[in-house]
Amino acid sequence: MKSCKVHTMARVFPILIFVMLCAPSALAHPQKGEAVGFLTGFRHPISGLDHVLAMIAVGLWGAQLGSPAIWLLPVAFPMVMAVGGMLGLMGIPLPGTEYGIALSAMLLGAAVLLELRPSLRIAALLVGFFAIFHGHAHGTELPRGQSALLYSMGFVIATGCLHAVGIGIGTFHRWGWGQKLLRAAGGLVTMGGVFFLWKAAA
Amino acid sequence: MNRKRKSHLSLYAFVAFSFAMSAVPAEAHLNSTGMGPFYDGLIHFLMNPEDIVPVVALALLAGLRGANYGRRALFVLPTAWFLGALAGLSALAANPHPFIAAAWFVLLGGLVAADAHVSLRATTVLAALLGLYHGYLNGTGMGQSLSTTVILVGLVFAIFVLIALVAAFVVRLRASWARVAIRVGGSWIAASGLLMLGWATRAR
């Protein structure tokens, strides 16, 4: 009797193993992996303070410079940043990425602090130059196995939202106290940039 | 010996039966809504951002240029999509190149971001090519049955409604900041396309 029980167990066990091995992946959400892709992409630019400071500084500076810079910078920045991201994804190295990101916060913050008004071309070139470093850093850090489209969209939309926050704060520029507030914010961004530069050098 | 072989046979039969019973539904193409083939086609389009985003980009481009352009895209794109899908029905499987999907994003998003003054003829060609390409991809793997045409009608209906809503919304915009906001949207689409290009390169 006992030997019969053992025999039955021995027969059932491989079946159990087989059934467990062919368990399908969980389908709790409509498109598996894709929601994760968008949210992970969206979270990426806002997860690093150095990126956040620089993105907001772009919006603040655009607001100080007024039209057309306020519109040109948010249109151009995502595309130039994406070029940097593409280089990072392709594995093309860019030396001094961390320094570039820290310098971007420092110099863009300083531009807001001093309310610098260079020509539109120089402002766009400066912002575009630093955008490549930000994009490259994101590109090399992207996790594998995500939905490329949704991750990219989440990433770009979050960056655009950070610019919008900067532009939104920049609307205070129309008031005298607001101009001082923006310059103070620029000072804070510069200090943050100095801190990240020191951290990159350490 | 013969008895032992018999007992193993029943074991193998049971294992094979377990496998057959635990087969999951094929997820090759369509999501089933349970509301019939028309809605299956409609939802298939609405659940697929790789299809939606280029259609939105084309609608934005046409809307920025004016009502004439919007009307042209409204009729050319769904028609081309339907024809492309019919052509794709005969193909068993497609192997879409990720560079092409990304290129559509970069091209259409870039044109919107630049507020490019594309001609009506160029808009028509873009709409036709986009429709034929994506329609063909949609059509492959759907299989040929009576409900396939209804699925395609649902899919094309969703495209028609989406392009009508987006283009009409943009055509009405007059404020310069609103048009710039549309261009920012275009730059986001182009930027996503550039990142997808990099991603596709990394994957290879």
Side-chain angles (χ1 to χ4, degrees):
Chain A
M1 186 70 182
K2 201 173 180 184
S3 120
C4 188
K5 250 186 188 175
V6 170
H7 189 64
T8 314
M9 282 290 285
R11 288 170 69 175
V12 168
F13 191 67
I15 295 170
L16 270 175
I17 296 288
F18 272 122
V19 172
M20 281 168 77
L21 281 176
C22 63
S25 54
L27 283 167
H29 293 283
Q31 299 286 333
K32 46 186 174 175
E34 299 205 345
V36 178
F38 182 83
L39 292 177
T40 320
F42 193 86
R43 224 172 23 225
H44 204 257
I46 55 177
S47 59
L49 189 61
D50 45 355
H51 291 294
V52 173
L53 287 176
M55 298 301 124
I56 290 179
V58 169
L60 291 176
W61 200 29
Q64 276 183 339
L65 292 172
S67 186
I70 192 170
W71 306 125
L72 181 78
L73 299 185
V75 171
F77 191 96
M79 289 201 280
V80 183
M81 189 187 69
V83 171
M86 192 174 73
L87 296 177
L89 280 163
M90 286 173 171
I92 298 169
L94 184 68
T97 311
E98 289 305 315
Y99 290 105
I101 292 167
L103 271 174
S104 72
M106 207 175 91
L107 294 183
L108 291 171
V112 176
L113 172 68
L114 303 171
E115 226 170 307
L116 294 179
R117 291 184 177 278
S119 69
L120 181 62
R121 189 174 292 179
I122 291 178
L125 272 175
L126 187 71
V127 168
F129 174 72
F130 286 125
I132 291 178
F133 287 97
H134 285 270
H136 192 275
H138 289 307
T140 49
E141 291 164 8
L142 294 187
R144 285 180 182 277
Q146 302 279 358
S147 160
L149 167 62
L150 291 178
Y151 188 99
S152 305
M153 284 177 66
F155 170 75
V156 171
I157 289 170
T159 304
C161 288
L162 286 174
H163 291 152
V165 168
I167 292 171
I169 298 170
T171 52
F172 292 138
H173 191 253
R174 68 182 73 173
W175 297 290
W177 60 267
Q179 290 173 13
K180 286 177 190 156
L181 184 79
L182 288 194
R183 295 181 71 168
L188 279 176
V189 173
T190 308
M191 282 163 60
V194 171
F195 169 72
F196 286 113
L197 191 64
W198 169 73
K199 214 174 147 187
Chain B
M1 187 70 186
N2 205 12
R3 209 174 145 193
K4 201 175 177 186
R5 196 176 284 167
K6 256 191 182 169
S7 81
H8 274 175
L9 197 67
S10 66
L11 175 67
Y12 295 144
F14 189 80
V15 170
F17 181 72
S18 310
F19 267 107
M21 291 307 287
S22 61
V24 292
E27 288 181 84
H29 218 71
L30 283 169
N31 294 313
S32 179
T33 57
M35 292 191 289
F38 180 84
Y39 290 98
D40 287 351
L42 194 136
I43 290 297
H44 174 71
F45 174 74
L46 295 177
M47 295 291 284
N48 196 350
E50 266 188 41
D51 286 342
I52 294 176
V53 177
V55 170
V56 168
L58 186 80
L60 294 177
L61 182 68
L64 279 176
R65 296 276 57 84
N68 246 355
Y69 288 70
R71 273 193 288 272
R72 184 65 66 90
L74 180 65
F75 291 106
V76 171
L77 183 69
T79 309
W81 204 293
F82 189 76
L83 294 174
L86 286 180
L89 286 178
S90 56
L92 286 174
N95 189 17
H97 204 290
F99 288 124
I100 300 177
W104 274 116
F105 275 59
V106 175
L107 175 67
L108 294 173
L111 288 173
V112 174
D115 196 6
H117 290 261
V118 286
S119 66
L120 188 58
R121 188 175 290 175
T123 309
T124 312
V125 171
L126 280 174
L129 288 177
L130 180 72
L132 286 171
Y133 176 70
H134 279 265
Y136 182 82
L137 291 184
N138 282 168
T140 53
M142 271 190 184
Q144 292 176 344
S145 68
L146 283 174
S147 61
T148 309
T149 318
V150 186
I151 291 170
L152 291 181
V153 170
L155 202 148
V156 167
F157 179 78
I159 296 165
F160 185 86
V161 171
L162 181 68
I163 202 160
L165 288 175
V166 175
F169 174 75
V170 179
V171 164
R172 286 185 65 242
L173 296 176
R174 290 285 173 266
S176 62
W177 67 264
R179 291 178 70 84
V180 171
I182 298 297
R183 292 176 64 184
V184 170
S187 82
W188 290 2
I189 293 171
S192 301
L194 284 170
L195 286 172
M196 284 163 67
L197 272 179
W199 209 301
T201 312
R202 183 167 84 162
R204 269 157 201 277

